[in-house]
Amino acid sequence: MSAYMPASEVLLRHEEEFEHRHIIFAGDLQDMLPAQLTTASTRVFTQQYHHWQALSKPLEERAHFGLYATAEHVAGCDTLIYYWPKNKPEAAFQLENLLALLPVGSDLFIVGENRSGVRSAETVLEKYSKLEKIDSARRCGLYHGRLDQHPDFNLDSYYNEYPLDNLTIKTLPGVFSRDGLDNGSALLLSTLTPHTKGKVLDLGCGAGVLAASLKQHSPKVRLWLTDVNAAAIAASQATLAINNIEGDVFASNVFSNVQGRFDMILSNPPFHEGLQTSLEAANALIRGAANHLSSGGELRIVANAFLPYPQALEETFGNYEILAQTGKFRVYRSIWGRNKR
């Protein structure tokens, strides 16, 4: 079985093309090809903390994580290899940022699975580059063009917001439920009761909806928010700021940068890695929560009803209950230290 995603396998069909290029890799980087492809020089920029964790080991200071790239991150590069994500606004945000920094005349290679919508790269970039499809394999498309003119990248223009009760929720492209509250989070919020106290961790915080809503009716809680996505970190920080809520927001791959124990851990955990179904993060959350909950502390998560989380909750905590459910979602609660059922 290949260690590479289909998009990377398509790039490898053209590896001789890249040998003498100074390349910046960006987008939905899900394997180690950027660190293993022979090039004149390689840099990586990613908004995903866990991708940076993996790639920074071999690439060290040549791999960068953040909300947006700077001139320093692309210095000396003459080629962009961009892995198309499943979210078109996220691609537009990242590409406008990168193309505003690269020299005019730089070569652009856009690659992605057809089901991700990579075909729309031609229209997304039509103002800046004329793309041509140069390969099609493994249900992926590879496009090439040259940068004809710079976009005018304006970070502030990408922020969106929507009202929620008496709150304003700030969002960015690539953040879960960017355009409004999703049904799963709404169900989880319906189970939260006023006068909650103690330390609360919102894990996979997205735009900060869960933490901000909890603080609204339980002002004595102390908040920590974390996510792997730099856009989610920025959106949560903006949500807390506009609502005058205090909280510590930071990047972490599940519990990798989390310290201490909490009275409650809240989460609407993802079950996709890019386009692929993956329960790895959610299972790591459930099993790792035991090391970060105080005695009597609770893990409360919402999940699609078909996902097999009861087994992991039972194995880790020895107990769980379903606080609310619809035809599609369930809200689970497990208490650390409670006797097994």
Side-chain angles (χ1 to χ4, degrees):
M1 186 178 221
S2 172
Y4 297 121
M5 301 295 292
S8 289
E9 292 183 337
V10 174
L11 288 171
L12 282 170
R13 288 157 59 98
H14 304 265
E15 59 184 321
E16 292 182 1
E17 175 70 39
F18 305 119
E19 288 181 356
H20 304 295
R21 295 180 178 274
H22 299 273
I23 299 176
I24 175 80
F25 287 84
D28 191 19
L29 308 170
Q30 293 186 37
D31 58 38
M32 298 301 291
L33 181 68
Q36 295 163 350
L37 189 67
T38 300
T39 67
S41 68
T42 294
R43 290 173 176 261
V44 164
F45 181 81
T46 178
Q47 289 185 340
Q48 300 294 326
Y49 186 75
H50 55 313
H51 296 166
W52 171 82
Q53 276 185 313
L55 289 164
S56 65
K57 292 177 181 177
L59 293 175
E60 298 179 336
E61 74 282 353
R62 291 174 290 148
H64 299 276
F65 162 78
L67 175 61
Y68 57 90
T70 67
E72 178 186 357
H73 297 149
V74 303
C77 294
D78 58 26
T79 302
L80 168 66
I81 294 180
Y82 184 81
Y83 287 75
W84 193 264
K86 65 179 180 179
N87 184 292
K88 183 177 175 180
E90 178 183 5
F93 173 97
Q94 294 173 355
L95 284 167
E96 278 204 359
N97 171 211
L98 291 160
L99 299 189
L101 301 170
L102 286 164
V104 168
S106 294
D107 282 283
L108 313 178
F109 293 89
I110 313 296
V111 65
E113 294 188 45
N114 294 329
R115 60 179 176 149
S116 73
V118 68
R119 296 180 182 92
S120 61
E122 293 177 273
T123 55
V124 169
L125 293 184
E126 61 185 351
K127 294 180 181 178
Y128 320 118
S129 175
K130 183 178 180 180
L131 294 180
E132 176 186 0
K133 192 172 188 178
I134 61 171
D135 200 357
S136 180
R138 298 300 311 277
R139 298 179 180 177
C140 295
L142 174 62
Y143 296 79
H144 171 258
R146 286 188 172 84
L147 180 60
D148 297 323
Q149 66 177 55
H150 288 128
D152 182 18
F153 176 71
N154 180 0
L155 174 61
D156 292 338
S157 70
Y158 280 97
Y159 277 95
N160 188 26
E161 64 182 49
Y162 60 88
L164 178 65
D165 298 330
N166 296 320
L167 296 168
T168 298
I169 307 301
K170 301 285 285 187
T171 67
L172 279 164
V175 177
F176 182 61
S177 295
R178 173 175 177 252
D179 299 318
L181 184 65
D182 63 283
N183 293 333
S185 293
L187 186 65
L188 177 54
L189 287 176
S190 73
T191 70
L192 297 175
T193 56
H195 313 302
T196 301
K197 298 179 182 179
K199 298 171 62 178
V200 176
L201 175 67
D202 182 354
L203 204 157
C205 56
V209 172
L210 299 179
S213 297
L214 178 62
K215 185 73 171 182
Q216 188 177 36
H217 62 60
S218 296
K220 291 187 178 181
V221 296
R222 290 173 288 157
L223 298 175
W224 283 258
L225 297 80
T226 185
D227 205 293
V228 294
N229 185 348
I233 298 299
S236 286
Q237 290 170 331
T239 293
L240 295 189
I242 200 170
N243 294 292
N244 296 311
I245 294 173
E246 292 186 2
D248 186 4
V249 188
F250 59 99
S252 181
N253 181 6
V254 195
F255 291 106
S256 68
N257 291 346
V258 174
Q259 297 181 351
R261 292 183 178 269
F262 299 86
D263 300 294
M264 178 184 287
I265 297 174
L266 293 173
S267 188
N268 182 351
F271 65 96
H272 288 99
E273 172 67 21
L275 292 167
Q276 312 302 319
T277 298
S278 173
L279 304 182
E280 183 177 347
N283 281 320
L285 185 159
I286 291 170
R287 301 185 191 286
N291 297 319
H292 293 281
L293 282 170
S294 303
S295 180
E298 69 167 274
L299 171 67
R300 191 177 304 199
I301 63 173
V302 63
N304 287 65
F306 69 87
L307 295 172
Y309 295 151
Q311 179 180 349
L313 291 167
E314 184 68 41
E315 289 175 355
T316 302
F317 290 87
N319 66 86
Y320 74 87
E321 59 184 310
I322 299 172
L323 297 181
Q325 62 182 322
T326 64
K328 188 174 182 180
F329 297 103
R330 290 178 179 173
V331 177
Y332 298 99
R333 175 171 65 180
S334 290
I335 308 297
W336 181 242
R338 175 181 287 180
N339 291 335
K340 292 182 180 287
R341 297 189 300 176

Short mmCIF file of all heavy atoms in Angstrom, two decimals, residues 192-238:
data_model
loop_
_atom_site.label_atom_id
_atom_site.label_comp_id
_atom_site.label_asym_id
_atom_site.label_seq_id
_atom_site.Cartn_x
_atom_site.Cartn_y
_atom_site.Cartn_z
N LEU A 192 -26.20 22.01 27.98
CA LEU A 192 -25.40 22.75 28.97
C LEU A 192 -26.32 23.54 29.90
O LEU A 192 -27.22 24.25 29.44
CB LEU A 192 -24.42 23.69 28.28
CG LEU A 192 -23.36 23.02 27.40
CD1 LEU A 192 -22.52 24.07 26.68
CD2 LEU A 192 -22.47 22.11 28.24
N THR A 193 -26.10 23.43 31.19
CA THR A 193 -26.97 24.09 32.16
C THR A 193 -26.26 25.29 32.79
O THR A 193 -25.02 25.31 32.89
CB THR A 193 -27.37 23.11 33.27
OG1 THR A 193 -26.18 22.57 33.86
CG2 THR A 193 -28.21 21.98 32.71
N PRO A 194 -27.03 26.31 33.21
CA PRO A 194 -26.43 27.47 33.85
C PRO A 194 -25.71 27.10 35.15
O PRO A 194 -25.92 26.03 35.72
CB PRO A 194 -27.64 28.38 34.13
CG PRO A 194 -28.68 27.93 33.16
CD PRO A 194 -28.47 26.45 33.01
N HIS A 195 -24.87 28.02 35.58
CA HIS A 195 -24.16 27.93 36.86
C HIS A 195 -23.09 26.84 36.87
O HIS A 195 -22.67 26.37 37.93
CB HIS A 195 -25.13 27.71 38.02
CG HIS A 195 -26.32 28.63 38.00
ND1 HIS A 195 -26.19 30.00 38.00
CD2 HIS A 195 -27.64 28.37 37.92
CE1 HIS A 195 -27.39 30.55 37.96
NE2 HIS A 195 -28.29 29.59 37.90
N THR A 196 -22.62 26.42 35.68
CA THR A 196 -21.46 25.55 35.61
C THR A 196 -20.25 26.30 36.14
O THR A 196 -20.10 27.50 35.91
CB THR A 196 -21.22 25.10 34.16
OG1 THR A 196 -22.38 24.42 33.68
CG2 THR A 196 -20.01 24.19 34.04
N LYS A 197 -19.37 25.60 36.84
CA LYS A 197 -18.17 26.23 37.39
C LYS A 197 -16.94 25.40 37.03
O LYS A 197 -17.04 24.27 36.58
CB LYS A 197 -18.29 26.35 38.92
CG LYS A 197 -19.44 27.21 39.40
CD LYS A 197 -19.49 27.24 40.92
CE LYS A 197 -20.68 28.06 41.42
NZ LYS A 197 -20.75 28.07 42.91
N GLY A 198 -15.76 25.99 37.28
CA GLY A 198 -14.52 25.26 37.13
C GLY A 198 -13.82 25.52 35.81
O GLY A 198 -14.14 26.45 35.06
N LYS A 199 -12.83 24.68 35.55
CA LYS A 199 -11.99 24.81 34.36
C LYS A 199 -12.60 23.99 33.22
O LYS A 199 -12.89 22.80 33.39
CB LYS A 199 -10.58 24.31 34.65
CG LYS A 199 -9.84 25.10 35.72
CD LYS A 199 -8.52 24.42 36.10
CE LYS A 199 -7.57 24.33 34.92
NZ LYS A 199 -6.27 23.71 35.31
N VAL A 200 -12.78 24.63 32.07
CA VAL A 200 -13.41 23.99 30.93
C VAL A 200 -12.49 24.08 29.72
O VAL A 200 -11.98 25.15 29.39
CB VAL A 200 -14.77 24.63 30.60
CG1 VAL A 200 -15.39 24.00 29.34
CG2 VAL A 200 -15.72 24.50 31.78
N LEU A 201 -12.31 22.94 29.05
CA LEU A 201 -11.52 22.88 27.83
C LEU A 201 -12.45 22.61 26.66
O LEU A 201 -13.17 21.61 26.64
CB LEU A 201 -10.48 21.75 27.92
CG LEU A 201 -9.65 21.48 26.65
CD1 LEU A 201 -8.74 22.64 26.34
CD2 LEU A 201 -8.83 20.19 26.82
N ASP A 202 -12.45 23.52 25.68
CA ASP A 202 -13.18 23.34 24.43
C ASP A 202 -12.18 22.81 23.42
O ASP A 202 -11.35 23.56 22.89
CB ASP A 202 -13.77 24.68 23.99
CG ASP A 202 -14.60 24.58 22.70
OD1 ASP A 202 -14.61 23.50 22.09
OD2 ASP A 202 -15.21 25.60 22.31
N LEU A 203 -12.24 21.51 23.14
CA LEU A 203 -11.23 20.84 22.33
C LEU A 203 -11.76 20.66 20.90
O LEU A 203 -12.80 20.07 20.69
CB LEU A 203 -10.87 19.50 22.95
CG LEU A 203 -9.50 18.92 22.60
CD1 LEU A 203 -9.04 17.93 23.66
CD2 LEU A 203 -9.54 18.23 21.24
N GLY A 204 -11.03 21.23 19.94
CA GLY A 204 -11.55 21.32 18.58
C GLY A 204 -12.52 22.47 18.52
O GLY A 204 -13.66 22.33 18.09
N CYS A 205 -12.08 23.63 18.97
CA CYS A 205 -12.97 24.75 19.31
C CYS A 205 -13.64 25.41 18.11
O CYS A 205 -14.64 26.10 18.27
CB CYS A 205 -12.21 25.81 20.11
SG CYS A 205 -10.73 26.47 19.30
N GLY A 206 -13.11 25.21 16.89
CA GLY A 206 -13.73 25.86 15.74
C GLY A 206 -13.77 27.36 15.92
O GLY A 206 -12.74 28.00 16.17
N ALA A 207 -14.95 27.94 15.84
CA ALA A 207 -15.10 29.39 15.99
C ALA A 207 -15.32 29.81 17.44
O ALA A 207 -15.59 30.98 17.70
CB ALA A 207 -16.26 29.88 15.13
N GLY A 208 -15.23 28.87 18.37
CA GLY A 208 -15.38 29.20 19.79
C GLY A 208 -16.81 29.24 20.27
O GLY A 208 -17.11 29.78 21.33
N VAL A 209 -17.71 28.62 19.51
CA VAL A 209 -19.14 28.66 19.83
C VAL A 209 -19.45 28.04 21.19
O VAL A 209 -20.16 28.62 22.02
CB VAL A 209 -19.96 27.95 18.74
CG1 VAL A 209 -21.41 27.81 19.15
CG2 VAL A 209 -19.85 28.69 17.43
N LEU A 210 -18.94 26.83 21.44
CA LEU A 210 -19.27 26.12 22.67
C LEU A 210 -18.79 26.88 23.90
O LEU A 210 -19.55 27.08 24.85
CB LEU A 210 -18.67 24.71 22.64
CG LEU A 210 -19.13 23.79 21.52
CD1 LEU A 210 -18.42 22.44 21.63
CD2 LEU A 210 -20.64 23.60 21.54
N ALA A 211 -17.53 27.32 23.85
CA ALA A 211 -16.97 28.01 25.01
C ALA A 211 -17.66 29.34 25.27
O ALA A 211 -18.00 29.67 26.41
CB ALA A 211 -15.47 28.23 24.79
N ALA A 212 -17.90 30.11 24.21
CA ALA A 212 -18.52 31.41 24.37
C ALA A 212 -19.96 31.27 24.88
O ALA A 212 -20.40 32.04 25.75
CB ALA A 212 -18.50 32.17 23.06
N SER A 213 -20.69 30.29 24.38
CA SER A 213 -22.07 30.08 24.82
C SER A 213 -22.12 29.64 26.27
O SER A 213 -22.99 30.08 27.04
CB SER A 213 -22.75 29.04 23.93
OG SER A 213 -22.83 29.49 22.60
N LEU A 214 -21.21 28.76 26.66
CA LEU A 214 -21.16 28.33 28.06
C LEU A 214 -20.86 29.51 28.98
O LEU A 214 -21.50 29.69 30.02
CB LEU A 214 -20.10 27.25 28.23
CG LEU A 214 -19.88 26.73 29.66
CD1 LEU A 214 -21.15 26.09 30.20
CD2 LEU A 214 -18.72 25.74 29.69
N LYS A 215 -19.91 30.34 28.60
CA LYS A 215 -19.53 31.50 29.43
C LYS A 215 -20.68 32.48 29.57
O LYS A 215 -20.82 33.14 30.61
CB LYS A 215 -18.33 32.19 28.79
CG LYS A 215 -17.75 33.34 29.61
CD LYS A 215 -17.00 32.85 30.83
CE LYS A 215 -16.25 34.01 31.49
NZ LYS A 215 -15.46 33.57 32.66
N GLN A 216 -21.54 32.56 28.57
CA GLN A 216 -22.65 33.51 28.59
C GLN A 216 -23.60 33.23 29.76
O GLN A 216 -24.08 34.17 30.40
CB GLN A 216 -23.41 33.44 27.26
CG GLN A 216 -24.47 34.50 27.10
CD GLN A 216 -25.13 34.43 25.74
OE1 GLN A 216 -25.34 33.34 25.20
NE2 GLN A 216 -25.46 35.57 25.16
N HIS A 217 -23.88 31.94 30.03
CA HIS A 217 -24.81 31.65 31.14
C HIS A 217 -24.11 31.08 32.37
O HIS A 217 -24.76 30.84 33.39
CB HIS A 217 -25.95 30.73 30.68
CG HIS A 217 -25.54 29.36 30.20
ND1 HIS A 217 -24.86 28.46 30.96
CD2 HIS A 217 -25.75 28.74 29.00
CE1 HIS A 217 -24.67 27.35 30.30
NE2 HIS A 217 -25.19 27.48 29.08
N SER A 218 -22.80 30.85 32.28
CA SER A 218 -22.04 30.37 33.43
C SER A 218 -20.76 31.20 33.56
O SER A 218 -19.66 30.73 33.23
CB SER A 218 -21.70 28.88 33.28
OG SER A 218 -22.87 28.09 33.27
N PRO A 219 -20.87 32.44 34.00
CA PRO A 219 -19.73 33.37 33.98
C PRO A 219 -18.56 32.97 34.87
O PRO A 219 -17.47 33.51 34.72
CB PRO A 219 -20.35 34.70 34.45
CG PRO A 219 -21.60 34.32 35.17
CD PRO A 219 -22.10 33.08 34.51
N LYS A 220 -18.77 32.01 35.78
CA LYS A 220 -17.68 31.62 36.68
C LYS A 220 -16.74 30.57 36.07
O LYS A 220 -15.71 30.25 36.67
CB LYS A 220 -18.25 31.10 38.00
CG LYS A 220 -18.90 32.19 38.84
CD LYS A 220 -19.30 31.69 40.22
CE LYS A 220 -19.91 32.82 41.05
NZ LYS A 220 -20.29 32.37 42.41
N VAL A 221 -17.07 30.04 34.89
CA VAL A 221 -16.17 29.06 34.28
C VAL A 221 -14.91 29.77 33.79
O VAL A 221 -14.92 30.95 33.42
CB VAL A 221 -16.83 28.30 33.10
CG1 VAL A 221 -17.99 27.47 33.58
CG2 VAL A 221 -17.24 29.26 32.00
N ARG A 222 -13.81 29.03 33.79
CA ARG A 222 -12.54 29.50 33.20
C ARG A 222 -12.27 28.67 31.96
O ARG A 222 -12.37 27.44 32.00
CB ARG A 222 -11.40 29.36 34.22
CG ARG A 222 -11.51 30.34 35.39
CD ARG A 222 -10.47 30.06 36.44
NE ARG A 222 -10.78 28.83 37.17
CZ ARG A 222 -9.89 28.09 37.83
NH1 ARG A 222 -8.59 28.43 37.81
NH2 ARG A 222 -10.25 27.01 38.49
N LEU A 223 -11.94 29.36 30.86
CA LEU A 223 -11.95 28.73 29.55
C LEU A 223 -10.56 28.52 28.95
O LEU A 223 -9.72 29.42 29.01
CB LEU A 223 -12.77 29.58 28.57
CG LEU A 223 -14.25 29.78 28.90
CD1 LEU A 223 -14.87 30.74 27.89
CD2 LEU A 223 -15.00 28.44 28.90
N TRP A 224 -10.38 27.35 28.36
CA TRP A 224 -9.24 27.06 27.50
C TRP A 224 -9.81 26.50 26.19
O TRP A 224 -10.71 25.65 26.21
CB TRP A 224 -8.32 26.02 28.13
CG TRP A 224 -7.45 26.57 29.22
CD1 TRP A 224 -6.14 26.90 29.14
CD2 TRP A 224 -7.85 26.84 30.58
NE1 TRP A 224 -5.67 27.36 30.35
CE2 TRP A 224 -6.71 27.34 31.26
CE3 TRP A 224 -9.05 26.72 31.30
CZ2 TRP A 224 -6.74 27.71 32.60
CZ3 TRP A 224 -9.08 27.09 32.63
CH2 TRP A 224 -7.93 27.57 33.26
N LEU A 225 -9.31 26.99 25.06
CA LEU A 225 -9.79 26.56 23.75
C LEU A 225 -8.62 26.13 22.89
O LEU A 225 -7.57 26.81 22.87
CB LEU A 225 -10.54 27.68 23.03
CG LEU A 225 -11.83 28.23 23.65
CD1 LEU A 225 -11.53 29.22 24.77
CD2 LEU A 225 -12.66 28.95 22.58
N THR A 226 -8.78 25.02 22.16
CA THR A 226 -7.69 24.55 21.33
C THR A 226 -8.22 23.91 20.05
O THR A 226 -9.33 23.39 20.01
CB THR A 226 -6.79 23.57 22.10
OG1 THR A 226 -5.67 23.22 21.30
CG2 THR A 226 -7.55 22.32 22.48
N ASP A 227 -7.39 23.94 19.00
CA ASP A 227 -7.74 23.37 17.71
C ASP A 227 -6.44 23.13 16.95
O ASP A 227 -5.41 23.70 17.29
CB ASP A 227 -8.65 24.32 16.93
CG ASP A 227 -9.53 23.60 15.91
OD1 ASP A 227 -8.98 23.06 14.92
OD2 ASP A 227 -10.76 23.57 16.10
N VAL A 228 -6.49 22.29 15.91
CA VAL A 228 -5.32 22.10 15.05
C VAL A 228 -5.26 23.14 13.93
O VAL A 228 -4.22 23.32 13.32
CB VAL A 228 -5.28 20.69 14.40
CG1 VAL A 228 -5.11 19.62 15.44
CG2 VAL A 228 -6.52 20.44 13.55
N ASN A 229 -6.37 23.80 13.67
CA ASN A 229 -6.50 24.69 12.53
C ASN A 229 -6.20 26.13 12.94
O ASN A 229 -6.86 26.68 13.82
CB ASN A 229 -7.93 24.58 11.96
CG ASN A 229 -8.13 25.37 10.70
OD1 ASN A 229 -7.30 26.19 10.31
ND2 ASN A 229 -9.26 25.15 10.05
N ALA A 230 -5.20 26.75 12.29
CA ALA A 230 -4.84 28.13 12.62
C ALA A 230 -6.00 29.08 12.39
O ALA A 230 -6.14 30.08 13.11
CB ALA A 230 -3.63 28.56 11.80
N ALA A 231 -6.83 28.81 11.39
CA ALA A 231 -7.99 29.66 11.14
C ALA A 231 -9.00 29.55 12.29
O ALA A 231 -9.63 30.54 12.67
CB ALA A 231 -8.65 29.30 9.81
N ALA A 232 -9.15 28.36 12.85
CA ALA A 232 -10.04 28.18 14.00
C ALA A 232 -9.49 28.91 15.23
O ALA A 232 -10.26 29.52 15.98
CB ALA A 232 -10.23 26.69 14.30
N ILE A 233 -8.18 28.85 15.43
CA ILE A 233 -7.56 29.57 16.54
C ILE A 233 -7.85 31.06 16.42
O ILE A 233 -8.27 31.72 17.38
CB ILE A 233 -6.04 29.32 16.57
CG1 ILE A 233 -5.73 27.83 16.78
CG2 ILE A 233 -5.37 30.16 17.65
CD1 ILE A 233 -6.25 27.25 18.05
N ALA A 234 -7.64 31.62 15.22
CA ALA A 234 -7.87 33.05 15.00
C ALA A 234 -9.34 33.40 15.16
O ALA A 234 -9.69 34.44 15.73
CB ALA A 234 -7.36 33.45 13.62
N ALA A 235 -10.23 32.54 14.64
CA ALA A 235 -11.67 32.80 14.75
C ALA A 235 -12.12 32.77 16.20
O ALA A 235 -12.90 33.63 16.64
CB ALA A 235 -12.45 31.78 13.93
N SER A 236 -11.65 31.80 16.97
CA SER A 236 -12.01 31.73 18.39
C SER A 236 -11.50 32.94 19.15
O SER A 236 -12.21 33.49 20.01
CB SER A 236 -11.45 30.43 19.01
OG SER A 236 -12.20 29.32 18.60
N GLN A 237 -10.28 33.34 18.87
CA GLN A 237 -9.75 34.54 19.52
C GLN A 237 -10.61 35.75 19.21
O GLN A 237 -10.90 36.57 20.08
CB GLN A 237 -8.30 34.78 19.07
CG GLN A 237 -7.32 33.76 19.63
CD GLN A 237 -5.94 33.87 19.00
OE1 GLN A 237 -5.79 34.29 17.86
NE2 GLN A 237 -4.92 33.48 19.74
N ALA A 238 -11.05 35.87 17.94
CA ALA A 238 -11.89 36.99 17.54
C ALA A 238 -13.27 36.91 18.19
O ALA A 238 -13.84 37.94 18.60
CB ALA A 238 -12.02 37.04 16.02
#
